Amino acid sequence: MSEIIIFAEIDGDGLHSTAGELISAGKKIAADTGNVVSAALIGGNQDLASQAISLGADKVYLANDDAIQEGVADAYLAALHKICINAEPTVVLTSKTPIGRAVGPRLAYRLGSGIAQDCMDVSADGDSGRVTVTRPVYGGNAMAKFTFADKDPQVVIMRLKAFEAMEPDSSRSGEVIEFELSLDESDIKTKLVETVKEESEGVRLEDAAVIIGMGRGLGGPEPFSQLEELAKVFNGAVGASRAVCDAGWLDHSYQIGLTGKTVTPDVYITVGISGASQHMAGCSSSKNIVAINKDGDANIFKEASFGVVGDWEKVLPAFTETARELLES
Amino acid sequence: MSLNIIVCAKQVMDPETPLSAFNVDEAAKRVVPAQGIPPVVNGFCENAVEAALKIKEAAGDATITIISLGNDFVMDVMKKPLSMGADQMILIQDPAAENLDALGTATVLSKAIEKIGEADIVICGQQASDWDNAHVPLGISEMLGIACLSEARSIDLGDGTVTVASSRSDGYDVFEAPLPCLITVSNEIGEPRYPTLRGIMQASRKSPETWTLNDLDLSESDVSPVLTLSELFVPASDRQCEIIEGEDEADSGRLLALKLREEKII
Ligand SMILES: Cc1cc2nc3c(=O)[nH]c(=O)nc-3n(C[C@H](O)[C@H](O)[C@H](O)COP(=O)(O)OP(=O)(O)OC[C@H]3O[C@@H](n4cnc5c(N)ncnc54)[C@H](O)[C@@H]3O)c2cc1C
């Protein structure tokens, strides 16, 4: 039976959070096409293979080779390419992670097939097996649906958190296939020289339940401390618009948006952010968006559920103080 | 040895076009260009030009060729990379290449790069702000069979190698690859320089070469699409914003916190 292959990434000792999301996306296509969902686990072990099965994978390709090195796309690409040549999947799913968004497209081009990136939804036609994806274009100002032509594999890169992983269930069963890779040295053209960690204190943006967003409207880097103070009240984190990062007020690791991080907090409180589509592309799935902006016509008020039209310098201190009192009482 | 650098640059609708002027023709499945707002060179492509100029400064001897595939080119707009300091430009324009998908685009651009010949470094912006595909350059590297380094925030030229740093969520990775290679750059590579008066004068004297598919030994069937746009629409926002108004701005801030608490949001 033809299959859907998901590229299951590894994070430390476990599966990357996107592995379960991709399995869920694969299952949605499989519900229409009757395909099996297989996980390509490159550089993994039996334990991780069991995890993938517990998250819903019907089959796992367990592929190892000395040439595989964390962070190096070339090796994962060569491995996934070999698996695809062998398994002839109809669909390949990867995530919009640094590795996933490098490997997915290059695989598609290597095989001469189609590729759609940053997809928020997928569906398939049961008869033809053709996949249709929904994805933002023009910086999120428009949404587009694309349908793949009759060439496999159809390669889809999913936006992070577009699908939810299923609850792991250890009673699920699946097949584990040890896949012989024997990669060639010529497969790997790039070398990872160094990995530099820039540890930031406190809660990671991607994990924070509350995020305070810093925009150009704050006028400079100094107000960061006030936002941090507010974030501490909620045990949350501070993120920023690209304008803030490009101006050098904050490092680019704070950037939320199309070309920054995708976040999905319970509440995202924006201060002095206009709500450009490219910014919203990274936060529009927040459960609640709150806006403090002096311009009542700013786009952010079209996205927010609660807001204050006013100068942040006057609004924020009172907001922070009241929030602190409420949470301490 | 002179270094041969090729930069791919795309003309796009100005991404700063106000939302009120952003219109989609759903039947034709295309974005209607806003009246009176000229197109721009895609921002990340300008970053790529800047990266190429920095490499040229470091290498001493290099030629920077800009290639662009598109239609309805506005010459004043497209000449910006030349005024910034690039040496020459090739525009690829063909009625048969007006609606290519990413695979077709990468096919045309890689053929053009082969025709120019002996490229040492191909530099592209990480994505274009119209279709936000972020993978045409990766396709070019595959078709040319050269090393691919994506989303560079810095580039250092070595002896027959390049070293680039790419941002990660908690820091950055440093990669090295042999030449020839393809590099995509993010905005972190640095602001594109402003053209100088001298640069603008020099650019005005240069006329870009124009190529068609025929010049690249390509026919329409070589670029037939594998992905088709089936729908294009402006998403409707279902969120209704409740504006909190107090006696003054500080009071509004206080009431906002109370409201969020009442709604169990905080
Ligand atoms: C291809 C591409 C990718 C991009 N990717 C991203 C991305 O990933 N993330 C991102 O954020 N952007 C991205 N952008 C940029 C985006 O288009 C916007 O330019 C950016 O988000 C604007 O940031 P901002 O809202 O902080 O600034 P502005 O748009 O300048 O807004 C500042 C806001 O502050 C308000 N303000 C000013 N003073 C005060 C005050 N005293 N009190 C209260 N409010 C005040 C103003 O009313 C205004 O609404 C991208 C652009 C392109 C073309």
Side-chain angles (χ1 to χ4, degrees):
Chain A
M1 195 183 343
S2 62
E3 51 191 296
I4 296 164
I5 292 188
I6 69 112
F7 173 43
E9 290 181 55
I10 298 164
D11 184 14
D13 296 332
L15 284 179
H16 194 274
S17 59
T18 56
E21 299 170 15
L22 290 181
I23 292 171
S24 297
K27 287 271 175 196
K28 182 173 179 210
I29 299 172
D32 291 324
T33 60
N35 292 329
V36 298
V37 177
S38 311
L41 190 54
I42 299 161
N45 55 37
Q46 286 291 345
D47 185 40
L48 294 178
S50 310
Q51 278 184 40
I53 290 167
S54 76
L55 288 167
D58 301 304
K59 203 194 240 185
V60 178
Y61 292 102
L62 190 53
N64 277 294
D65 193 283
D66 289 343
I68 290 161
Q69 189 188 0
E70 202 187 317
V72 181
D74 285 3
Y76 291 102
L77 170 63
L80 198 57
H81 182 241
K82 283 203 165 168
I83 293 171
C84 287
I85 294 284
N86 189 272
E88 297 185 350
T90 56
V91 182
V92 174
L93 299 174
T94 76
S95 272
K96 197 188 165 193
T97 55
I99 289 290
R101 65 179 183 255
V103 167
R106 289 174 65 191
L107 176 75
Y109 286 99
R110 199 168 276 194
L111 296 166
S113 63
I115 158 86
Q117 106 113 340
D118 199 18
C119 301
M120 323 252 308
D121 201 6
V122 284
S123 62
D125 182 276
D127 297 325
S128 66
R130 293 305 90 194
V131 169
T132 296
V133 299
T134 309
R135 54 172 300 249
V137 294
Y138 283 84
N141 283 319
M143 292 295 278
K145 288 190 177 184
F146 289 95
T147 305
F148 285 85
D150 207 4
K151 174 88 172 88
D152 287 342
Q154 311 165 75
V155 182
V156 179
I157 304 180
M158 295 301 304
R159 174 173 289 203
L160 270 65
K161 299 184 184 167
F163 277 77
E164 239 176 87
M166 292 189 279
E167 276 302 312
D169 177 353
S170 56
S171 71
R172 290 198 177 101
S173 64
E175 183 187 3
V176 180
I177 297 167
E178 301 254 7
F179 190 90
E180 178 66 39
L181 277 178
S182 37
L183 296 182
D184 193 81
E185 246 174 59
S186 66
D187 288 330
I188 294 141
K189 296 197 175 79
T190 54
K191 193 168 85 191
L192 179 62
V193 184
E194 189 185 5
T195 292
V196 180
K197 297 265 183 241
E198 291 170 332
E199 288 301 334
S200 52
E201 291 165 40
V203 190
R204 271 167 30 113
L205 257 187
E206 294 91 326
D207 303 332
V210 179
I211 295 176
I212 316 299
M214 173 166 175
R216 177 149 52 193
L218 274 76
E222 298 78 19
F224 174 69
S225 57
Q226 288 185 51
L227 298 195
E228 237 189 348
E229 197 189 320
L230 177 59
K232 277 209 187 95
V233 171
F234 302 116
N235 192 26
V238 178
S241 72
R242 175 163 145 192
V244 165
C245 301
D246 279 355
W249 301 349
L250 288 179
D251 185 82
H252 274 94
S253 60
Y254 286 91
Q255 185 178 321
I256 292 171
L258 185 68
T259 47
K261 288 178 177 160
T262 300
V263 296
T264 50
D266 293 337
V267 49
Y268 180 41
I269 303 172
T270 67
V271 190
I273 287 182
S274 63
S277 60
Q278 294 92 353
H279 183 75
M280 301 319 294
C283 59
S284 55
S285 305
S286 306
K287 280 207 193 86
N288 293 284
I289 295 175
V290 177
I292 299 174
N293 192 307
K294 70 172 185 192
D295 174 10
D297 291 329
N299 188 59
I300 191 69
F301 290 112
K302 297 201 178 74
E303 308 276 347
S305 31
F306 297 96
V308 168
V309 178
D311 185 348
W312 72 270
E313 281 193 71
K314 306 215 175 68
V315 180
L316 193 69
F319 177 74
T320 305
E321 196 191 306
T322 313
R324 184 182 289 124
E325 283 167 16
L326 287 170
L327 291 173
E328 277 171 4
S329 65
Chain B
M1 191 201 77
S2 175
L3 205 61
N4 191 1
I5 306 173
I6 295 176
V7 178
C8 301
K10 185 178 191 186
Q11 176 179 301
V12 295
M13 189 182 104
D14 189 343
E16 307 279 329
T17 300
L19 272 178
S20 54
F22 183 88
N23 288 305
V24 166
D25 178 344
E26 289 191 15
K29 292 180 279 193
R30 62 182 201 104
V31 173
V32 185
Q35 280 290 320
I37 303 177
V40 295
V41 174
N42 178 47
F44 289 113
C45 300
E46 288 192 358
N47 293 122
V49 175
E50 177 62 32
L53 291 167
K54 286 208 184 95
I55 295 175
K56 179 170 175 165
E57 283 158 6
D61 190 10
T63 306
I64 302 175
T65 307
I66 311 290
I67 59 174
S68 186
L69 166 64
N71 48 55
D72 300 330
F73 284 119
V74 178
M75 224 30 100
D76 280 351
V77 169
M78 285 314 290
K79 275 200 168 179
K80 185 168 179 196
L82 290 175
S83 3
M84 286 169 71
D87 299 287
Q88 56 196 36
M89 173 173 255
I90 296 161
L91 301 176
I92 309 162
Q93 199 169 6
D94 197 312
E98 269 185 21
N99 284 307
L100 297 187
D101 66 357
L103 182 65
T105 306
T107 305
V108 173
L109 289 173
S110 56
K111 276 282 187 186
I113 292 165
E114 276 171 359
K115 183 177 160 104
I116 295 165
E118 322 234 311
D120 296 297
I121 308 178
V122 180
I123 311 180
C124 303
Q126 71 170 52
Q127 73 194 70
S129 58
D130 46 8
W131 295 104
D132 290 316
N133 277 325
H135 51 65
V136 166
L138 310 192
I140 295 172
S141 78
E142 283 297 318
M143 289 171 186
L144 296 174
I146 59 177
C148 179
L149 299 158
S150 41
E151 298 171 29
R153 67 180 215 181
S154 68
I155 306 175
D156 289 298
L157 189 64
D159 186 13
T161 61
V162 282
T163 306
V164 312
S166 302
S167 288
R168 297 292 174 250
S169 66
D170 54 354
Y172 59 93
D173 282 348
V174 182
F175 295 96
E176 188 189 277
L179 301 183
C181 71
L182 178 139
I183 303 170
T184 78
V185 299
S186 78
N187 48 297
E188 292 175 74
I189 201 93
E191 289 274 326
R193 67 194 61 189
Y194 285 104
T196 60
L197 200 54
R198 189 161 157 265
I200 296 171
M201 294 295 287
Q202 280 174 342
S204 71
R205 285 194 291 271
K206 289 176 185 164
S207 35
E209 242 182 273
T210 313
W211 290 354
T212 60
L213 289 193
N214 204 18
D215 294 315
L216 300 171
D217 293 325
L218 287 171
S219 66
E220 217 170 328
S221 62
D222 296 317
V223 290
S224 52
V226 285
L227 198 68
T228 333
L229 180 63
S230 44
E231 251 181 79
L232 187 68
F233 56 98
V234 174
S237 166
D238 48 3
R239 284 192 166 135
Q240 274 289 338
C241 188
E242 186 176 330
I243 302 288
I244 311 295
E245 254 189 286
E247 282 166 16
D248 56 24
E249 288 170 313
D251 193 39
S252 305
R254 190 180 67 84
L255 293 178
L256 177 66
L258 290 170
K259 180 73 188 177
L260 296 183
R261 183 64 170 183
E262 184 191 318
E263 299 281 335
K264 300 198 167 56
I265 291 172
I266 60 174

